[in-house]
Amino acid sequence: MSHIRKSFSGITVLDDVSFEVKSGEVHALAGGNGAGKSTLMKILQGVYSLDSGQVTICGTTFNGSVSIAEARQAGVGMVFQEFSLVPTMSIAQNIFMGSEKLQGVFLDKQAMNRATVQLLNRLDVDLHPDTEVGELSTGYWQLTEIAKALHANARVLILDEPTASLSATETQTLFDLIRNLKSQGIGIIYISHRMDEIRQIADRITILRNGRNYLTSDLDSISDEEIIAGIVGHQTDNLSKRESRVCLNDEVLLKLDHLHTENGVENVSLEVHRGEVVGLAGLMGSGRTEVTRAIFGVDRVTSGSMTLSGKTYSPKRPQEAIANNISLVPEDRREQGLFTGHSVCDNLVITRYDECERAGLLSNKSIETLVDNLVKGFSIKVDDTKTEAYRLSGGNQQKIVIAKWLGKDPDLFIMDEPTAGIDIGTKREVLDQVAKLAEQGKGVLFISSELSEMVAVCDRYVVMKHGRTVGELPAEGINNEADLQLAIQHSGTLNK
């Protein structure tokens, strides 16, 4: 890709950007939220047109925009950060959408199912091809997307934050697959904010900043500090363990007692005290997200009990949770955290309309002030807050989801994968905010697939497996990601 330029509504997003990936290479593409990474790749994949520049794919040069069909035919496959699956269709139907196998004039369902099983086996995933995608967790959606891209026999494979919803084990399975594809001469473009992953899997790295090339380097020739400084524009500290801290008081804010729900929670007991951050640990599918949904009134509780500040708590809908000063950053921001077709302004103010009322009417000035403060405070990259949320990068969308709740001053803050898709500088800001909430006497229930983040903020860990709580771990003695991984595995073994 040579001298690519792209603007939206007069705003320059890519300014003279050049990028290349070689056969059999994993090339990491990094940069802060809104740096232009996803836009550049969508031009390569044919989703966006370019204003000027040139694209060459496997020897074929395009002197104008590449169409989706041309990109696919040339061998480009992409797994977007935002899913492109149809929830009401099966895994096989999604994978073969647009390239269905036929037997005469009829769909050859058996052939598609056999091919789907082979693809899923390559990913070490044991799912039936007839399973409806809408029944799967977010992590399995990601794996289905990857299988869909592999089915197209891509020679250039773009992976945009592919591990955002994967467990550590599933991430390593993906890396094994990437190494296999690399050995077959496939060029892989790997977009990620996770430094440890880039180090593990990539050969080279290109960093974009503000829509321009900042640097391209072999990974062996650049330090983590140089990469981080390139992404955020200044030096920043790596994640480190939070200092041990006694809770502000012994008050039990939230208590779950032998909780069962209609959606897979089978026996969960835990407590969150005021002034502490409790990490809910476990593999994807262990029931962590389902617990948060029950607390927030989304899933129905079938037995067991919950108490909030010592009083019986049994929400039937999210509005009741919000009325009890509980906030939730959900795992899936696009489906559960945003109104993507509405403006940035609407999304930020939706939880705080009551603060913008004057004499029973909404005050546009109050709304503007509130939104401007949130945009500046969270460094949300948007030129006009009337812009629809879906037009923003994934990281900036995530900032909106977090920002809209913090001003509500919740007593209990539930955060399910809060740093998904955000750059390392913003990630540090989010984790600092989590620590501040605890210091203010709030309770935080924290979930992250990145164990280093949990080590950085958690005072205590509750381990889940198969919808059950199987152990509790103090933060003492857990000083890094490896310590926590071993402790989680040990908890699961002891409670089989």
Side-chain angles (χ1 to χ4, degrees), residues 240-242 450-458 461 478-481 484:
S240 57
K241 183 177 179 179
R242 186 164 154 231
E450 293 193 58
L451 298 186
S452 59
E453 294 182 5
M454 299 189 77
V455 172
V457 297
C458 292
Y461 307 93
I478 297 176
N479 299 307
N480 51 50
E481 185 175 354
L484 181 55

Side-chain angles (χ1 to χ4, degrees), residues 29 37-42 44-47 72 75-85 94-95 119 123 138-166 174 177-178 181 186-192 333-334:
L29 183 58
K37 306 181 299 295
S38 293
T39 299
L40 185 68
M41 292 299 98
K42 288 178 180 179
L44 175 59
Q45 213 256 348
V47 175
R72 185 184 296 120
V76 176
M78 182 167 183
V79 177
F80 291 105
Q81 189 176 343
E82 296 87 12
F83 297 125
S84 60
L85 304 176
N94 271 283
I95 289 174
L119 286 169
L123 290 169
T138 303
Y140 286 120
W141 278 54
Q142 183 66 275
L143 292 170
T144 303
E145 286 276 19
I146 294 169
K148 182 178 177 181
L150 294 177
H151 161 65
N153 295 317
R155 297 169 66 190
V156 178
L157 181 62
I158 308 163
L159 301 177
D160 190 355
E161 297 285 355
T163 64
S165 302
L166 303 185
L174 173 63
L177 173 62
I178 289 173
L181 297 173
I186 294 175
I188 297 168
I189 303 169
Y190 193 90
I191 304 175
S192 179
R333 62 172 169 261
R334 290 181 63 83

